[in-house]
């Protein structure tokens, strides 16, 4: 009650005031220094070396990933729908299989209306053998109907709305924002990004799933790297940092990777 706009602060309240602003720069009298945000050891050097290993851009994700599966000459609304469908098909499916399925769909004229007019059996025959193709047939039909009814045939422009669609998870939603809307709302984390982030100790403590990894990475990774990190680590995971028997002897990070099998 003694500091209501008075120019000089009474001596009694000074201690209380210093506690309230203990982390303000320039405070002396034993105030705690500002906390330094946590970041992984050697991460910048590790990232630069991964960039070097990915420089040729010749991993399956580069040549047949979702960003290569849509018709770039289609109207923007159709292009965005094709991006979303490619993402839905890509879950637990190799890029080569997703790319082939998308090509078959596009040969039929891949639009919201064409999919709505297609029966489930035909759709299943076209997308087979993508992983869990029977479930994906249902999800695609349900999501496409919602897009027609609620979004005028376009796809939502927020992560929150995208993850409400049947068969669309957080990774797909963030990639849809990146590719379809050219907007970075968060980091797209799939099994490769999840695995490699844990191997490199880019998370404070081990994470159990890709969504936990996304949250952990977004706490420290500079935002201007959020879009790049997915394609970097996915390709790196496809070519070098494999799920089983990683090729540590070929990895430039062998000497600074906590998980490296040093020969």
């Amino acid at each position: 009650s003694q500091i209501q706009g008075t120019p000089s602060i009474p001596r009694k309240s000074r201690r209380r005031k210093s506690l309230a602003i203990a982390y303000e720069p320039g405070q002396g009298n034993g105030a705690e220094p500002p906390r330094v945000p946590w970041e992984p050891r050697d991460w910048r050097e590790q990232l630069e070396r991964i960039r070097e290993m990915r420089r040729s851009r010749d991993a399956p994700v580069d040549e047949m990933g979702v960003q290569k599966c849509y018709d770039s000459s289609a109207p923007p609304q159709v292009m965005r729908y094709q991006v979303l469908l490619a993402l839905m098909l890509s879950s637990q499916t190799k890029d080569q299989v997703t790319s082939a399925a998308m090509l078959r769909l596009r040969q039929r004229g891949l639009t919201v209306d064409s999919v709505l007019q297609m029966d489930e059996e035909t759709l299943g025959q076209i997308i087979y053998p993508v992983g869990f193709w029977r479930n994906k047939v249902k999800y695609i039909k349900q999501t496409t109907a919602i897009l027609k009814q609620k979004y005028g045939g376009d796809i939502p422009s927020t992560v929150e709305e995208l993850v409400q669609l049947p068969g669309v998870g957080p990774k797909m939603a963030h990639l849809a924002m990146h590719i379809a809307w050219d907007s970075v709302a968060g980091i797209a984390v799939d099994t490769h990004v999840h695995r490699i982030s844990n191997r490199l100790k880019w998370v404070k403590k081990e994470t159990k799933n890709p969504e936990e990894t996304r949250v952990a990475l977004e706490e420290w990774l500079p935002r201007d790297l959020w879009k790049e990190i997915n394609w970097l680590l996915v390709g790196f995971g496809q070519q070098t940092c494999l799920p089983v028997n990683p090729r540590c002897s070929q990895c430039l990070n062998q000497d600074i990777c906590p998980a490296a099998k040093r020969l």
Side-chain angles (χ1 to χ4, degrees), residues 1-3 15 29 56 75 90 101 103 129 138 161 208 216 254:
S1 61
Q2 295 180 341
I3 55 173
R15 189 172 174 207
N29 304 323
S56 59
S90 71
L103 183 59
K138 295 173 185 171
E161 290 173 293
K208 297 182 177 68
Q254 189 187 13

Side-chain angles (χ1 to χ4, degrees), residues 84-263:
L84 184 62
L85 242 62
L87 286 165
M88 293 175 73
L89 294 176
S90 71
S91 174
Q92 295 183 278
T93 303
K94 290 186 180 296
D95 288 326
Q96 298 92 320
V97 177
T98 301
S99 177
M102 280 297 294
L103 183 59
R104 292 192 295 273
L105 281 169
R106 284 170 52 193
Q107 287 169 346
R108 296 279 191 121
L110 181 52
T111 65
V112 164
D113 290 332
S114 72
V115 169
L116 287 176
Q117 290 162 14
M118 198 180 294
D119 61 70
E120 290 192 6
E121 185 179 352
T122 302
L123 181 56
Q125 289 171 352
I126 295 171
I127 69 170
Y128 179 85
V130 300
F132 301 98
W133 63 273
R134 288 186 179 87
N135 288 338
K136 289 176 183 178
V137 166
K138 295 173 185 171
Y139 293 148
I140 288 170
K141 293 289 282 186
Q142 291 169 1
T143 285
T144 304
I146 292 169
L147 299 182
K148 178 75 170 178
Q149 295 161 9
K150 191 173 178 181
Y151 297 98
D154 209 337
I155 73 170
S157 58
T158 67
V159 169
E160 292 72 24
E161 290 173 293
L162 283 162
V163 295
Q164 296 300 315
L165 298 170
V168 178
K171 179 209 78 171
M172 297 180 210
H174 286 294
L175 276 175
M177 293 298 294
H178 293 183
I179 300 168
W181 292 110
D182 193 25
S183 173
V184 180
I187 301 171
V189 177
D190 70 347
T191 55
H192 293 292
V193 179
H194 170 62
R195 176 179 74 255
I196 294 165
S197 296
N198 277 275
R199 283 179 177 173
L200 290 173
K201 304 290 187 204
W202 281 9
V203 289
K204 277 186 189 178
K205 59 180 182 178
E206 186 176 355
T207 50
K208 297 182 177 68
N209 55 60
E211 186 59 10
E212 279 188 17
T213 301
R214 179 187 68 79
V215 173
L217 286 174
E218 287 178 4
E219 285 181 357
W220 68 267
L221 189 69
R223 197 179 180 94
D224 61 347
L225 298 174
W226 286 12
K227 188 172 183 178
E228 178 191 23
I229 208 70
N230 177 269
W231 80 263
L232 264 181
L233 295 190
V234 170
F236 178 55
Q238 290 176 334
Q239 293 182 308
T240 307
C241 199
L242 306 176
V244 181
N245 299 322
R247 296 166 179 162
C248 297
S249 62
Q250 301 172 22
C251 181
L252 298 180
N253 278 322
Q254 189 187 13
D255 61 326
I256 54 172
C257 173
K261 294 172 183 171
R262 296 177 182 87
L263 303 174

Side-chain angles (χ1 to χ4, degrees), residues 44-58 228 231-232 236 239-240 250-253:
R44 291 183 187 277
E45 190 169 2
Q46 290 165 342
L47 180 65
E48 276 307 313
R49 293 181 184 185
I50 292 171
R51 283 191 180 121
E52 177 62 27
M53 288 183 279
R54 293 280 287 112
R55 199 166 65 172
S56 59
R57 295 176 180 247
D58 55 1
E228 178 191 23
W231 80 263
L232 264 181
F236 178 55
Q239 293 182 308
T240 307
Q250 301 172 22
C251 181
L252 298 180
N253 278 322

